[in-house]
Amino acid sequence: MKKTKLIRGLTILFITLFIFSIQGFSQGISPDDPQYQVLKEQGDLPQPPAVNYNGPYPAVEQLDNSSRQCLLVPLDGTFTEFPANDDGSVGPINLGFMFDFYGTTQSQVYVNNNGNVSFGSPYSTYTPTGFPVSGFPMIAPFWADVDTRGLGSGICYYKLESNRLIVTWDGVGYYNSNFDKLNTFQVIITDGTDPVVGLGNNVAFSYDDMQWTTGDVSGGTNGFGGSPATVGINRGDGVDFALIGLFDHEGIDYDGPGGNNDGVSYLDCKTFAFDASGEDPILPTQF
């Protein structure tokens, strides 16, 4: 009897270690490795589970935005190109200014092709989870499976200035090299002194035309369904976050951060700016 239990226990331990070893290999492989795309297409790159969170959520005020251009900072020749890629990252980028994120001063940032910027490490994670989630300190104007390799897709650009970093995803497609639908969006992080974002604010999201939500291996079909794109900020401790919404379909329907998943066209030509500093950041307002 004891021998049977021992064998059973060792078998379970072996299987568990085997699974974790496979996951570790899959998650540790670089997106630049040719084997990465093989594993991704086969669905063999483990992704974190979706967050099961029932609130409370911050309220998001809807205001008119018809008096200005859609993106806060227009794209021009002074931006640096992030070459076409899938699940790649740039960084660490030395900011040259102090960015306060939930009371922690950040001096470096990674720009991740999948619609977010992160602290401490880059993220190739392409299936969004929703917030709050542990281990992913990030600012996510549109965390989803962005793929800029398609011939008709635009790419990501970034520009570092004395008191702000601007990152723009310009007409980008979705996995796997799809460009029948394209998204344009932007994030700005600052030291709180940028009048474009609003004095006292240090993060802004702005959007132009938004047409898709989901990549092919995140449960999506023709750019919709499956795991919803996540829009918000996440401290990474599994507790503190601010969520604008979860988007998984076409349409302009929106019922706030909680409730039903929302229509991606709700984001068209909208901007959200907020103060992400301190232990209790001031939650988003739209203008």
Side-chain angles (χ1 to χ4, degrees):
M1 183 68 176
K2 290 183 179 179
K3 185 176 180 180
T4 302
K5 288 184 177 180
L6 177 61
I7 293 174
R8 183 182 302 168
L10 290 174
T11 301
I12 292 172
L13 176 62
F14 174 78
I15 293 172
T16 301
L17 291 174
F18 176 76
I19 290 172
F20 276 105
S21 68
I22 292 296
Q23 289 181 342
F25 167 76
S26 299
Q27 291 173 327
I29 189 170
S30 168
D32 297 327
D33 190 315
Q35 186 67 13
Y36 180 93
Q37 285 299 323
V38 175
L39 292 170
K40 183 172 181 179
E41 289 179 18
Q42 294 174 346
D44 291 334
L45 291 177
Q47 297 292 286
V51 170
N52 183 17
Y53 181 80
N54 296 317
Y57 291 95
V60 179
E61 184 180 2
Q62 300 183 36
L63 302 176
D64 179 65
N65 189 34
S66 59
S67 62
R68 64 163 183 81
Q69 61 193 359
C70 293
L71 296 184
L72 282 176
V73 178
L75 188 64
D76 60 27
T78 65
F79 282 71
T80 299
E81 293 186 357
F82 185 1
N85 73 95
D86 177 51
D87 301 340
S89 301
V90 173
I93 297 172
N94 293 315
L95 292 174
F97 60 87
M98 295 295 104
F99 174 71
D100 189 340
F101 189 56
Y102 283 97
T104 299
T105 299
Q106 304 288 348
S107 60
Q108 293 182 326
V109 69
Y110 292 85
V111 174
N112 304 307
N113 198 57
N114 286 330
N116 63 80
V117 298
S118 60
F119 308 102
S121 63
Y123 297 142
S124 60
T125 310
Y126 51 84
T127 298
T129 65
F131 293 152
V133 60
S134 297
F136 288 86
M138 69 162 66
I139 296 175
F142 199 78
W143 181 16
D145 197 359
V146 175
D147 185 349
T148 56
R149 298 171 301 166
L151 294 178
S153 172
I155 59 175
C156 177
Y157 300 83
Y158 62 96
K159 179 164 69 171
L160 182 63
E161 298 181 328
S162 62
N163 68 335
R164 67 183 182 181
L165 173 70
I166 308 159
V167 186
T168 301
W169 287 259
D170 181 42
V172 296
Y174 60 97
Y175 189 83
N176 190 358
S177 299
N178 296 301
F179 54 87
D180 59 308
K181 303 176 184 69
L182 302 172
N183 286 345
T184 298
F185 57 98
Q186 181 179 85
V187 61
I188 302 174
I189 64 172
T190 84
D191 61 0
T193 65
D194 182 6
V196 172
V197 170
L199 297 180
N201 293 325
N202 66 351
V203 175
F205 301 159
S206 56
Y207 303 86
D208 203 312
D209 190 17
M210 301 292 289
Q211 300 178 352
W212 64 266
T213 65
T214 318
D216 292 351
V217 292
S218 299
T221 301
N222 296 324
F224 298 115
S227 299
T230 300
V231 177
I233 66 173
N234 184 64
R235 187 176 186 177
D237 60 357
V239 176
D240 297 317
F241 75 106
L243 184 69
I244 301 297
L246 302 174
F247 299 84
D248 69 357
H249 60 271
E250 177 56 277
I252 60 173
D253 55 298
Y254 179 77
D255 61 356
N260 298 319
N261 292 340
D262 302 303
V264 70
S265 291
Y266 163 79
L267 295 171
D268 288 356
C269 212
K270 287 187 171 62
T271 293
F272 304 91
F274 48 101
D275 179 8
S277 67
E279 287 294 322
D280 188 19
I282 298 174
L283 296 175
T285 56
Q286 179 194 325
F287 64 90

